[in-house]
Amino acid sequence: GELANTRLKVLAETLVKDHGWSKNEAGRIWATGPEPLDCNDKSNNSNQPTCLLVDSTYGVQIPQDARENIIEAFKQVVRKGVIVNAPMRGVRFDLMDIKLHSDSVHRRPSSVVPAAMRAMRGAFLMAAPSLMEPMYHVDIRGKSSTLEGVYSILGKRGGTVMDTSSSLSMDVIVASVPVRCAFGLAGDLRGATHGHANCSCVFNGMKRIPEEEEGFVISEARLRKQLDEKVPNVDSFVDKL
């Protein structure tokens, strides 16, 4: 409670100072998410919450119990996402309007949370979302003139060469490779260079998946996680009266 409020105040001050938010808008942030996988790891920015829930209503009195339930819905939605059951990144949800029953008996979590989750998931799909993936910074080293075969291996794995350097004793190739394409990379590099190449892989942030590959990646991920083959469409979250 108190710690969360303190974090929101610090966030609000940063958004106003560094990102041009108005004080009124920044003060209306209800929650951030998803929660870090490792709450003790403060050094890994990729592990920090990047999604926001903002109260953009005007002239609406929202009871505290309803607010807490909507925040819980937000946390569940950003924790699992919609497309491949993976945490969301960089998504802002704005609560624009709400109609609540005056009797708190009808505002229980079992009623409010599922309804709010459906609204958020539907709104997310309407915003034309894209899929991000983790990337490796790959450092490849070998004796001079022994790394010619590296480039074809990187190309087959969706890698991008970022830098190269050479000396009398060593060649160095620095590349960016999707984590999903990096399994067995070290072995392939050694094989293509007759054992001369040594590589190290370090996590290097997230990158948008190329549009031409997105469909395949989504289908593969949903199959692996035993989800329905197709991503739900917006109509799946629209209540029919």
Side-chain angles (χ1 to χ4, degrees), residues 20-34:
W21 283 45
S22 69
K23 289 184 178 181
N24 179 60
E25 183 181 25
R28 286 174 164 264
I29 298 174
W30 275 8
T32 62

Side-chain angles (χ1 to χ4, degrees), residues 67-116:
R67 171 172 171 158
E68 292 174 356
N69 289 333
I70 294 170
I71 290 174
E72 177 58 30
F74 163 78
K75 290 182 176 181
Q76 291 190 37
V77 168
V78 299
R79 187 183 304 130
K80 287 195 172 183
V82 180
I83 300 176
V84 292
N85 200 16
M88 291 183 180
R89 294 179 60 84
V91 181
R92 169 175 164 170
F93 289 94
D94 283 71
L95 180 62
M96 304 303 297
D97 193 14
I98 185 171
K99 293 182 179 179
L100 296 164
H101 200 286
S102 58
D103 190 344
S104 61
V105 172
H106 299 284
R107 299 197 305 265
R108 292 173 177 168
S110 58
S111 298
V112 177
V113 173

